Amino acid sequence: MAKRDYYEVIGVEKNASKDEIKRAYRKLAIKYHPDKNPGDKVAEEKFKEATEAYEILSDDQKRQIYDQYGFAGLEGMGGGGASGGFSHAFNDFSDLFGDFGGMFENLFGGGSRRRSAEAAGQGASLRYDLEITFQEAVYGTEKQIQFQHNEACEACHGTGGEKGSKRKTCGTCQGTGQIRRSSGFFAIAQPCPTCQGSGSVIDSPCKVCGGNGLQQKRKKVSIKIPAGTDNGKRITIPRQGDAGRNGGPAGDLVVVIHVANHQYYERDGNDLYCAISISLAQATLGAEIYVTALDGNKFKLKIPAGTQNGKLLRLRDEGVPVTGSSRKGDLYIKILVHVPEKLSSKQKSLLEEFAKLEGATDSPQPVSLSSIRF
């Protein structure tokens, strides 16, 4: 089953530091802990999701793999499961939570808590990684994507049971919706794996969905990529993720944009950079040349006389559009002066004559290093 994007679960940006991730998780864990929200299945699911996300994002290796390959890269690593995540997330419980306050009493306290059998749960948000071209990112585009997501079962209309079926108390948790795992003197309540924390099970599960109430189906969605979109941008499409349980709201679809490199152009924010090669004569005498722009059109560029190798020429407002604005960045063109390796006899003769007129010397003068950019 698809999962929510881990950064969205924790509520941090993709470039968040480990301390920011820890602080964000601490707030969620205190807010949604099942022992502080008895009978609230939504809070219980959020707590489990946050713990799983923290296990991945707080581990440098797992986080790097997740950023690059998504959930598929974590398969077989032992991460991404709520029960396995508790051991890592609570390695240093006192460091994470500081002052326990009344939490100890709740954690160690017993008591039966019956979960609502009909509680609606929000569907999971899904992540889709979309690669676009450099030009599409700069000028904007519209893409149609296909992905798998869960929809309400057509046979049982999302109830999870056959027609006329009823719910009965779960025999595993005796209706509490929780099982407790102990490690020494420390105990943690977890959702019951049999009833998924609801406290009850259906006596006659739907044959189509197996009592889950959901069916996995393929869906097509059109998404607009605004001009000026940068690599790593996340576009959220509301209510296009997994359907919620028992009529709960659907999750979101989070599209992560990956921009392919360009052969000739690079980008820094909203500025574009490219390089062109000109002849020694053009650099010395100056020239007007035509340069192919990113969109394929040609524009005229004036090369000033005496242009040096490596000089940057700036064209204002010829860069990347600023998203949501009419402004644009600039285009910087680096000049590379081509020095010929082989000369014809006539070229050699002319250059030798030029050298005489120039008064070239075999004893060049030293140049201050502070005036040179290596």
Side-chain angles (χ1 to χ4, degrees):
M1 181 177 293
K3 301 177 182 178
R4 294 179 65 200
D5 176 62
Y6 286 144
Y7 289 99
E8 182 186 0
V9 170
I10 297 294
V12 297
E13 296 295 328
K14 188 175 181 180
N15 60 354
S17 66
K18 294 183 73 172
D19 285 340
E20 290 174 329
I21 292 172
K22 178 182 287 188
R23 288 195 297 270
Y25 171 67
R26 178 182 183 274
K27 293 179 181 179
L28 292 174
I30 293 176
K31 181 178 180 180
Y32 293 116
H33 195 284
D35 288 322
K36 293 191 67 177
N37 300 273
D40 189 341
K41 185 178 178 181
V42 174
E44 182 178 294
E45 290 297 321
K46 288 183 178 293
F47 178 78
K48 182 173 66 174
E49 277 187 325
T51 301
E52 178 179 332
Y54 179 71
E55 178 198 8
I56 300 302
L57 299 185
S58 61
D59 184 295
D60 292 337
Q61 181 184 8
K62 291 181 180 179
R63 182 180 180 182
Q64 182 179 4
I65 293 174
Y66 174 70
D67 287 343
Q68 188 169 1
Y69 301 106
F71 294 110
L74 299 173
E75 293 180 1
M77 289 192 63
S83 60
F86 280 116
S87 61
H88 173 78
F90 290 96
N91 273 343
D92 194 353
F93 198 89
S94 60
D95 175 59
L96 188 60
F97 285 95
D99 182 14
F100 291 98
M103 188 75 80
F104 262 125
E105 181 180 352
N106 290 333
L107 285 172
F108 292 110
S112 171
R113 300 176 182 84
R114 184 173 298 277
R115 300 293 189 239
S116 171
E118 302 297 331
Q122 181 174 352
S125 290
L126 305 179
R127 168 176 172 151
Y128 187 98
D129 293 275
L130 176 63
E131 182 168 328
I132 61 176
T133 67
F134 192 90
Q135 292 93 325
E136 288 173 333
V138 172
Y139 299 116
T141 186
E142 185 168 348
K143 293 285 188 179
Q144 187 176 74
I145 61 177
Q146 297 186 43
F147 59 97
Q148 296 276 7
H149 79 145
N150 289 328
E151 295 182 1
C153 175
E154 295 177 351
C156 66
H157 304 290
T159 64
E162 293 288 326
K163 187 176 181 180
S165 63
K166 299 179 180 179
R167 302 188 74 93
K168 62 181 181 180
T169 301
C170 174
T172 302
C173 64
Q174 303 303 316
T176 65
Q178 292 183 343
I179 58 173
R180 288 183 171 271
R181 297 184 62 185
S182 299
S183 177
F185 68 92
F186 190 66
I188 296 177
Q190 294 180 264
C192 173
T194 303
C195 65
Q196 303 300 314
S198 67
S200 64
V201 293
I202 300 173
D203 59 3
S204 182
C206 172
K207 294 182 176 62
V208 176
C209 65
N212 188 38
L214 301 172
Q215 281 182 304
Q216 193 171 81
K217 292 190 175 181
R218 197 161 189 82
K219 188 171 186 177
K220 292 182 179 180
V221 171
S222 291
I223 176 173
K224 289 186 177 180
I225 312 295
T229 294
D230 208 345
N231 186 57
K233 179 178 176 60
R234 292 165 176 256
I235 300 176
T236 300
I237 308 176
R239 301 294 181 254
Q240 293 298 325
D242 280 344
R245 295 182 181 275
N246 298 318
D252 300 330
L253 175 65
V254 180
V255 180
V256 183
I257 303 299
H258 301 274
V259 181
N261 293 328
H262 194 277
Q263 184 178 3
Y264 301 113
Y265 281 85
E266 291 184 0
R267 177 179 175 180
D268 182 12
N270 291 100
D271 293 329
L272 286 176
Y273 289 81
C274 71
I276 60 171
S277 177
I278 63 175
S279 70
L280 183 61
Q282 288 173 319
T284 304
L285 302 175
E288 286 189 346
I289 62 175
Y290 287 92
V291 179
T292 302
L294 181 61
D295 59 6
N297 295 322
K298 292 183 178 294
F299 62 88
K300 186 182 292 186
L301 178 66
K302 183 175 182 180
I303 306 296
T307 294
Q308 301 297 305
N309 183 62
K311 182 178 178 61
L312 278 179
L313 301 180
R314 181 173 68 169
L315 297 180
R316 294 182 181 275
D317 301 324
E318 293 294 339
V320 180
V322 178
T323 303
S325 170
S326 59
R327 296 183 295 109
K328 290 184 177 181
D330 299 328
L331 170 61
Y332 291 88
I333 301 173
K334 186 173 185 177
I335 303 300
L336 303 178
V337 180
H338 175 68
V339 178
E341 296 181 1
K342 295 182 179 180
L343 298 173
S344 66
S345 57
K346 185 174 182 180
Q347 288 174 321
K348 185 176 182 180
S349 175
L350 290 173
L351 279 177
E352 287 174 345
E353 183 65 24
F354 175 76
K356 292 178 182 178
L357 294 174
E358 188 183 29
T361 175
D362 56 3
S363 300
Q365 298 299 308
V367 178
S368 173
L369 293 179
S370 61
S371 65
I372 299 177
R373 293 184 62 188
F374 286 98

